[in-house]
Structure formats: structure tokens, C-alpha cells
Amino acid sequence: MTEVTVRPFRDTDAEPLAVLVARCLREVNSRDYPADLIERMCAHFDAARFRELAAVREVFVAEQEGQVVGTVSRDGNKVYTMFVDPDRVGRRVGRQLMHHIERLASADGHDHMETGASITGHGFYHRLGYHDVRVSETDFGLNYILRKPLPEQGPAAIP
Ligand SMILES: CC(C)(COP(=O)(O)OP(=O)(O)OC[C@H]1O[C@@H](n2cnc3c(N)ncnc32)[C@H](O)[C@@H]1OP(=O)(O)O)[C@@H](O)C(=O)NCCC(=O)NCCS
């Protein structure tokens, strides 16, 4: 297997990202959320939504052998839309995407990252050093707000 690279979103990523996110929601997140909510989220994260998001946030794509295998986006030190291809979970793609945006936020001078996590993704963020700040109820159900301090010594300190 060739290595996974992380790069900025391109317009042609919108359709494959919508497919990837719908698969995540239906195959992974569905264990924690009711079917009607999952379908509402699938409808929300369509290709047009990714193009809209890319206009207001930095959207990144993980790519392997020309295939889109994951995505994350950031607005400063805020993390959004973290999804990894269900066929590739547990291969550190999520960790690689998070480290990419943590380095960028650290280079911008932020001293911490903040993310909203689904029930499904909560343990992933704990594993990456995030701690719980509060719980919020959103249009898409229960969401955990977590934070992680970023090292003062700069982006090189993030592996
Ligand atoms: C959660 C998700 C992003 C993790 O992506 P991934 O590429 O499988 O994660 P990684 O392989 O980089 O895992 C990094 C570490 O977190 C751990 N981890 C991953 N998912 C976890 C989970 N749900 N609970 C607990 N630990 C988890 C891994 O074991 C790994 O630990 P290690 O590095 O010490 O071995 C992915 O499973 C996913 O897309 N889920 C559906 C969408 C979702 O819930 N997104 C979360 C944000 S709301």
C-alpha cells in the first residue's frame, strides 16, 4: 500500500467526499444514532455542502492511490467534519488528518484545539489527547465538546 497524503480540498473531491461521509454515517455512526437522524445527516453532507464548506473553512482530504480515504476541516483552532473511509479505519488516517490541522493551528499561534465529537468519535479524540469540556445538544443529536492544548514550542512538537 502506498502512503496516505493529506492535501487541500479540490472541487472534484465534493462527490467522493459525500459518498464517503454517507458510508461512515450508515456503516459506523448508525450504531449510536437512530436511522432517521443518520439519513438527515446524509442529506445534509451532500456534494454541494462540501463545496459551501470549502468556501468558509479549510477542508482537507486524505488520499491514497488516488482515492479519497478521509477528510477533516478546520476554522482556526476549531475542528469539523472528521470522517475516515470505513474500509480503512484503524490505520491511523484519522490521527494523520488531526495532526495536520493541529500543526497548522499551532503555527497560527493557537494554544489549543477544540472539536465537537459524535458519540462514535468520542473515544478517538480521547486517544489523541483531547479532554471533555462539556456536552451539547445539536440538530444532529448529542455532541461532546473537547479540547487539547497545543505545544508552546510550536508545530514541530506535534508528531
Ligand atoms: C473516528 C474515526 C475518525 C477514527 O479514524 P481512524 O482513521 O480509524 O483513527 P486512527 O486509526 O487514526 O486511530 C487513532 C487512535 O484512536 C483510536 N481510536 C479510533 N477510533 C476510536 C474510537 N471510536 N474509540 C476509541 N479509540 C479509537 C485508535 O485505536 C488509535 O489508537 P492508537 O493510535 O493508540 O493505536 C473514524 O472511525 C470515523 O470516521 N468514524 C465515523 C465518523 C465519526 O464518528 N467521526 C468522528 C468525528 S465526529
Side-chain angles (χ1 to χ4, degrees):
M1 273 282 178
T2 58
E3 69 178 86
V4 174
T5 54
V6 177
R7 60 163 176 79
F9 171 89
R10 298 178 196 135
D11 191 71
T12 50
D13 295 323
E15 281 78 14
L17 278 184
V19 171
L20 183 151
V21 169
R23 284 196 57 216
C24 278
L25 291 167
R26 291 188 179 123
E27 296 174 30
V28 184
N29 299 85
S30 59
R31 67 173 183 242
D32 297 313
Y33 292 92
D36 61 327
L37 187 64
I38 292 292
E39 289 312 310
R40 261 200 305 123
M41 289 179 81
C42 289
H44 177 80
F45 286 112
D46 63 4
R49 182 76 53 185
F50 273 102
R51 292 194 172 95
E52 282 171 22
L53 291 177
V56 293
R57 295 180 196 155
E58 280 184 279
V59 179
F60 295 96
V61 164
E63 188 179 74
Q64 187 174 36
E65 296 177 340
Q67 301 272 339
V68 169
V69 296
T71 188
V72 73
S73 50
R74 76 154 186 149
D75 181 0
N77 65 342
K78 304 270 192 318
V79 183
Y80 298 94
T81 51
M82 169 84 235
F83 292 95
V84 171
D85 181 336
D87 292 334
R88 290 173 168 87
V89 294
R91 297 189 197 172
R92 302 201 143 198
V93 177
R95 188 184 277 276
Q96 187 175 339
L97 282 162
M98 287 303 298
H99 285 170
H100 187 81
I101 60 170
E102 287 168 0
R103 277 193 290 267
L104 292 173
S106 181
D108 287 349
H110 293 286
D111 65 0
H112 72 278
M113 289 304 274
E114 182 171 307
T115 189
S118 62
I119 299 168
T120 324
H122 196 196
F124 165 72
Y125 287 113
H126 283 162
R127 194 77 192 134
L128 266 60
Y130 285 72
H131 60 271
D132 290 305
V133 176
R134 62 191 154 85
V135 176
S136 74
E137 191 61 43
T138 71
D139 289 348
F140 295 125
L142 186 74
N143 209 33
Y144 297 92
I145 307 299
L146 302 98
R147 286 189 186 160
K148 173 183 179 173
L150 292 173
E152 280 175 26
Q153 57 271 44
I158 300 170

